Amino acid sequence: MIAGRWGGVGVYPRQLPLLLFLFLLFFLFSVLPVAAQQADEGRYFRNMFTLPDQCVHNGIQASCTFILSCLFRGDTPVNKCGGGFIYTCCIPTIATVRSDAVRHINLFNREPPTFNNPQCGIQRVSQFAKRIIGGNEARFGEFPWQAHIRISGYQCGGVLINHYFVATAAHCVHKARLNQITVHLGEFDTKDTGEYDEPFPKETFAVLEKRIHPSFKYMLTQPDRFDIAVLRLNRPVIYRDNILPICLPDPSDDFIGEVGIVAGWGKTDNSFGKTGTNILRKVMVPIISNEECLRWHHHKGIDVKLHFEMFCAGHSQGKMDACLGDSGGPLVIHKNERWVLAGITSAGFGCAVDHQPGIYHKVSITSSWVISSVKT
């Protein structure tokens, strides 16, 4: 029997009162609230004892619920929610698979395919005139999902997921206080110089909550693990031509060999002390395998550690790349007539240097977590 798991145990007469008591609690605090008000399972019990509604076991995010509800679903309860024998961490049976590559794919996604938003990933603006190095200026409204995130004295990119949430790199916001973060959607010229035609205004939002991926790990000398977070905005986003959501990838999407587009307001060269650009810029970067990426870095004497939730994109000769200030921004791929969020800009050893491509968080690995996190 695995430590910390509940197993099959014989029922003895002296245990019957306990089971009856558990069933009564389950009925009172779970079945009745759901039937009467469509509330979250066991919410009164959680509120009464200040218990969590989410848990993490062996890297798997799951829900805290009543043991009987968990057993009825055929899943495995683990004592990690502070509720003792009554309220436990309910791990889906499939989570016993040990392979990380399988463990994090679509375990909790009860949603239809990720192209479930008819407005996602479609550009409405096409002909408006007039951290990216070696790219070009974007057109106004060309990337309507692009977010400009300002955190006290620095900036990051982000991407609109739905009416309430923006995704970004976890390392951008994990230490920031909520009142330090503002999110700007529909942004193009951050300085509002008036030199560019901006037919629609930007919208500015405060942040009510940040949700960091439970497996995020900040690394000092290596790319951060699970470098993704979502931010809940203070009011619903009203979609228009320059503010639209991106589509999320399927868990099976890989995109190796595809050419993606990265956009942002980060630095446009390697000059020390130079700040980012005020005009949104874009660059095209090919996605390469992690094996090729390791060979490129080793060719330059760099000992980089890549994990399955990361991928690399860039040119062997350098010259075109994301840079400081572009972190958290989206790398998008055109798929089935829509734009899909393939990666979140995460790290890199230098900017636009040969054989040192950018390193991105692979969103297909965590798309199920994103979907579950933005349902509010």
Side-chain angles (χ1 to χ4, degrees):
M1 187 177 187
I2 300 174
R5 290 182 178 266
W6 299 86
V9 180
V11 177
Y12 298 97
R14 67 174 180 269
Q15 295 174 310
L16 290 177
L18 176 60
L19 291 176
L20 290 173
F21 174 70
L22 292 175
F23 180 80
L24 179 62
L25 283 176
F26 168 72
F27 182 78
L28 289 176
F29 293 112
S30 181
V31 176
L32 286 180
V34 170
Q37 302 177 23
Q38 299 296 315
D40 288 340
E41 191 175 46
R43 62 189 176 95
Y44 297 119
F45 188 83
R46 291 199 301 269
N47 293 339
M48 183 183 302
F49 296 102
T50 317
L51 296 174
D53 60 355
Q54 297 288 321
C55 53
V56 178
H57 178 70
N58 289 339
I60 300 298
Q61 185 179 26
S63 60
C64 294
T65 185
F66 288 99
I67 183 174
L68 290 181
S69 175
C70 186
L71 292 174
F72 288 161
R73 294 203 298 257
D75 294 333
T76 304
V78 178
N79 187 5
K80 282 197 171 183
C81 293
F85 292 93
I86 299 173
Y87 189 72
T88 68
C89 185
C90 189
I91 307 298
T93 303
I94 190 173
T96 57
V97 177
R98 301 305 302 171
S99 169
D100 280 345
V102 175
R103 223 172 15 148
H104 290 82
I105 292 180
N106 213 24
L107 296 182
F108 309 106
N109 186 8
R110 304 291 194 267
E111 299 266 315
T114 50
F115 288 158
N116 56 354
N117 185 335
Q119 300 183 75
C120 78
I122 297 178
Q123 297 163 312
R124 295 183 185 174
V125 178
S126 59
Q127 296 300 323
F128 284 110
K130 241 173 151 177
R131 102 95 171 139
I132 300 298
I133 294 179
N136 303 304
E137 289 183 355
R139 299 189 306 274
F140 176 87
E142 185 175 0
F143 303 105
W145 41 80
Q146 192 88 22
H148 186 219
I149 302 177
R150 298 176 186 172
I151 309 107
S152 292
Y154 62 97
Q155 69 173 16
C156 277
V159 58
L160 183 63
I161 302 298
N162 63 16
H163 285 287
Y164 284 93
F165 285 89
V166 164
T168 187
H171 80 258
C172 285
V173 297
H174 77 291
K175 290 185 178 181
R177 296 191 300 272
L178 295 181
N179 62 7
Q180 295 177 315
I181 308 171
T182 56
V183 176
H184 305 267
L185 298 175
E187 182 71 278
F188 182 66
D189 180 355
T190 62
K191 293 183 178 179
D192 297 322
T193 61
E195 298 176 5
Y196 294 82
D197 185 18
E198 297 184 75
F200 305 108
K202 69 178 180 183
E203 295 288 340
T204 300
F205 299 80
V207 174
L208 297 181
E209 183 183 0
K210 58 180 179 180
R211 301 178 181 178
I212 310 295
H213 193 280
S215 297
F216 169 68
K217 187 175 181 181
Y218 183 74
M219 312 289 286
L220 290 175
T221 60
Q222 292 291 335
D224 300 324
R225 299 292 311 269
F226 291 92
D227 194 12
I228 187 170
V230 294
L231 305 176
R232 184 160 67 96
L233 306 178
N234 66 320
R235 69 181 191 277
V237 176
I238 298 175
Y239 297 158
R240 58 174 186 248
D241 286 2
N242 63 329
I243 303 178
L244 294 168
I246 193 66
C247 296
L248 292 174
D250 294 323
S252 60
D253 284 339
D254 193 74
F255 299 123
I256 293 176
E258 301 279 351
V259 176
I261 296 181
V262 189
W265 291 270
K267 291 180 63 175
T268 56
D269 61 43
N270 280 312
S271 301
F272 178 76
K274 183 176 175 63
T275 58
T277 174
N278 61 301
I279 302 300
L280 181 64
R281 295 180 67 85
K282 63 181 180 180
V283 67
M284 298 178 68
V285 286
I287 297 174
I288 63 175
S289 69
N290 282 8
E291 292 75 19
E292 183 74 4
C293 186
L294 288 172
R295 285 194 292 269
W296 283 14
H297 281 88
H298 291 166
H299 171 74
K300 300 298 291 289
I302 298 173
D303 182 22
V304 62
K305 291 180 173 58
L306 299 177
H307 299 273
F308 71 95
E309 83 282 1
M310 304 173 184
F311 70 85
C312 299
H315 302 265
S316 60
Q317 72 274 24
K319 299 182 180 180
M320 293 185 286
D321 196 8
C323 198
L324 188 65
D326 292 322
S327 287
L331 184 154
V332 296
I333 295 286
H334 202 238
K335 173 186 176 183
N336 298 332
E337 304 303 319
R338 293 175 184 263
W339 288 95
V340 179
L341 180 62
I344 295 288
T345 305
S346 178
F349 292 83
C351 300
V353 181
D354 69 286
H355 293 94
Q356 294 173 208
I359 300 171
Y360 299 81
H361 171 73
K362 189 175 184 180
V363 179
S364 61
I365 296 295
T366 51
S367 59
S368 297
W369 175 82
V370 172
I371 291 172
S372 67
S373 297
V374 301
K375 287 180 179 178
T376 302

